[in-house]
Amino acid sequence: MNYLLAILLPPLSILLTGRPIIAILVFIIWIPALFFSGGLTHPMFILLAWALIFHAREDRRGR
């Protein structure tokens, strides 16, 4: 579910993984990047969100 959310709204997905400061920073960068680059930078934020989701799951498995 969170991976699908990462495709649509990467900052919200990052927030749900438990990293609020990174989510705020990504949101501040993500909005202007969407408008100025025409959406070309969106895949970069998707990959960041997926990496953070993956690491959060690995941390939970390690406990």
Side-chain angles (χ1 to χ4, degrees), residues 20-44:
I21 295 178
I22 295 175
I24 292 168
L25 290 173
V26 166
F27 182 75
I28 291 170
I29 297 169
W30 180 63
I31 294 297
L34 283 177
F35 291 115
F36 292 128
S37 72
L40 293 175
T41 58
H42 188 72
M44 176 184 66

